[in-house]
Amino acid sequence: MGVGGCLVVPWRCLVVLCLRLLFLVPAGVPVRSGDATFPKAMDNVTVRQGESATLRCSVDNRVTRVAWLNRSSILYAGNDKWCLDPRVVLMSNTKTEYSIQIRDVDVYDEGPYTCSVQTDNHPKTSRVHLIVQVSPKIVEISSDISINEGGNISLTCIATGRPDPTITWRHISPKAVGFVSEDEYLEITGITREQSGEYECSASNDVAAPVVRRVKVTVNYPPYISDAKSTGVPVGQKGILQCEASAVPAAEFQWYKDDKRLVEGQKGVKVESKAFFSRLTFFNVSEQDYGNYTCVASNKLGNTNVSIILYEISEPTSSTLFQGPGAVHDGNNGTSRRAGCIGLLPLLLLHLLLKF
């Protein structure tokens, strides 16, 4: 296709027929093309889709008649417009230049355009090729996907553009380095949890800024308890046991003491569970609260558990208070007591002297 709405004739006969009709060339007179002594049309013209393309043909005082043609269409002959397409307009018809402009260029306008002139009773032609570039556009991309760890996935990203765009895939992750694929298709076998996240498809061809789309890949895996520590608390104080677990989907938590499940609402105990941790709070620890507790984390792919001990420790003694803030209770209480007594001796001696 070419510029629409024009007088159409078969391509092989186009130039000769047009020149004979337009310039009244007698039969038997050859139509010349590419005469080195005559200025040619401009070099190939490259424009982006939606822009305007100006086609120029240099002429001189030997030229008596001029015309622009496109494939099998006559666009302009002199000042007369033969094409009904409103996007095609005459820009210049002077003694030195004959030019037209095609506005809002589209891909179907791409192709050869011919400048035909009549000089000294000899028709001559010169051709220019219009190249239309198109910004990249992603026309098809995979939907977000959820896969169990160890499975295989295939992501697709299809893009159009002129010239053909280059497709690249990149894993959007702090640990990812560079591109993971330079192809329309991204294959991952034996996927791991570290490979979850967003994958970005980029299409570029230097015509415009690259276009990007993202696909979210969710990797499911069973719970893994990452942190759980036993805790020592004095009788009558507040105590907390905490269990942290990583899992997709997020784990559900349960707490047990011996074989008895602890639930929210029990007297003196609060069970608080979030996406990645669960906390067991004792507001006033009693002797009966000490012992072994089990944290169970589970999701649809499996479960795991860990034992945590709530054990008794002694209240801080008066001697440890003299150690000041930040004292470390490491069990060396005898040394602490001696240090405290030595500190009291000067006060006792002063008291005895004043008394007598």
Side-chain angles (χ1 to χ4, degrees):
M1 295 181 64
V3 175
C6 306
L7 179 62
V8 177
V9 294
W11 168 247
R12 295 191 178 192
C13 303
L14 173 64
V15 174
V16 174
L17 177 60
C18 287
L19 293 180
R20 296 194 187 283
L21 289 175
L22 296 175
F23 306 150
L24 301 178
V25 179
V29 177
V31 175
R32 300 181 182 181
S33 176
D35 190 337
T37 63
F38 186 79
K40 295 184 178 181
M42 61 193 299
D43 294 333
N44 290 346
V45 177
T46 301
V47 296
R48 297 178 182 179
Q49 184 181 39
E51 295 181 344
S52 296
T54 301
L55 309 180
R56 295 183 175 89
C57 184
S58 298
V59 296
D60 58 25
N61 55 12
R62 294 176 296 167
V63 175
T64 58
R65 295 179 184 178
V66 289
W68 270 107
L69 306 94
N70 167 231
R71 298 190 184 89
S72 57
S73 303
I74 304 171
L75 305 179
Y76 265 92
N79 292 322
D80 298 328
K81 186 175 182 179
W82 287 48
C83 180
L84 299 179
D85 192 332
R87 299 177 305 129
V88 182
V89 295
L90 180 66
M91 295 294 293
S92 176
N93 185 9
T94 68
K95 294 181 179 181
T96 58
E97 181 179 289
Y98 184 56
S99 62
I100 62 172
Q101 186 179 77
I102 305 172
R103 297 169 179 171
D104 193 21
V105 169
D106 211 335
V107 291
Y108 53 76
D109 296 317
E110 184 171 289
Y113 289 77
T114 302
C115 175
S116 299
V117 301
Q118 172 76 16
T119 175
D120 299 331
N121 293 323
H122 295 290
K124 300 175 183 178
T125 65
S126 186
R127 184 179 297 183
V128 59
H129 198 89
L130 177 62
I131 300 172
V132 180
Q133 294 182 330
V134 181
S135 302
K137 180 181 180 181
I138 296 176
V139 295
E140 179 184 343
I141 191 167
S142 298
S143 302
D144 293 346
I145 186 172
S146 178
I147 184 77
N148 291 345
E149 190 170 34
N152 304 327
I153 65 169
S154 177
L155 303 182
T156 301
C157 181
I158 306 297
T160 60
R162 299 168 73 119
D164 291 335
T166 299
I167 307 296
T168 56
W169 281 99
R170 185 166 64 96
H171 186 197
I172 307 300
S173 167
K175 297 181 180 179
V177 179
F179 298 110
V180 293
S181 175
E182 296 186 2
D183 189 72
E184 295 177 342
Y185 305 98
L186 173 61
E187 307 281 346
I188 302 178
T189 58
I191 195 168
T192 65
R193 63 192 70 178
E194 290 78 16
Q195 292 174 301
S196 65
E198 289 190 323
Y199 286 79
E200 181 182 87
C201 171
S202 173
S204 62
N205 64 359
D206 296 329
V207 175
V211 292
V212 297
R213 297 272 298 276
R214 292 185 176 184
V215 177
K216 183 179 181 181
V217 176
T218 301
V219 179
N220 304 311
Y221 57 92
Y224 167 74
I225 294 179
S226 55
D227 188 33
K229 296 178 180 178
S230 298
T231 304
V233 182
V235 172
Q237 299 297 311
K238 181 179 179 180
I240 296 176
L241 297 179
Q242 185 163 302
C243 173
E244 297 181 7
S246 175
V248 177
E252 295 182 356
F253 293 91
Q254 295 178 345
W255 286 93
Y256 292 87
K257 184 181 182 185
D258 300 326
D259 293 329
K260 183 180 179 182
R261 182 181 174 185
L262 304 179
V263 295
E264 178 67 28
Q266 285 187 230
K267 185 177 180 180
V269 178
K270 180 181 180 181
V271 179
E272 180 185 9
S273 295
K274 301 294 184 181
F276 299 105
F277 76 90
S278 183
R279 182 181 296 138
L280 189 60
T281 303
F282 303 86
F283 295 102
N284 187 5
V285 174
S286 65
E287 292 286 350
Q288 291 74 27
D289 292 326
Y290 295 122
N292 185 55
Y293 290 81
T294 301
C295 171
V296 179
S298 61
N299 67 7
K300 64 181 183 180
L301 299 179
N303 63 78
T304 186
N305 65 80
V306 66
S307 293
I308 310 175
I309 299 175
L310 181 68
Y311 58 90
E312 182 180 3
I313 60 173
S314 301
E315 285 276 9
T317 62
S318 59
S319 61
T320 59
L321 297 177
F322 285 96
Q323 299 177 38
V328 178
H329 308 290
D330 59 358
N332 298 323
N333 292 330
T335 303
S336 299
R337 291 192 188 95
R338 286 194 295 272
C341 292
I342 293 172
L344 289 173
L345 283 176
L347 295 176
L348 292 173
L349 290 173
L350 179 61
H351 177 72
L352 290 173
L353 289 174
L354 292 174
K355 185 175 181 180
F356 293 102

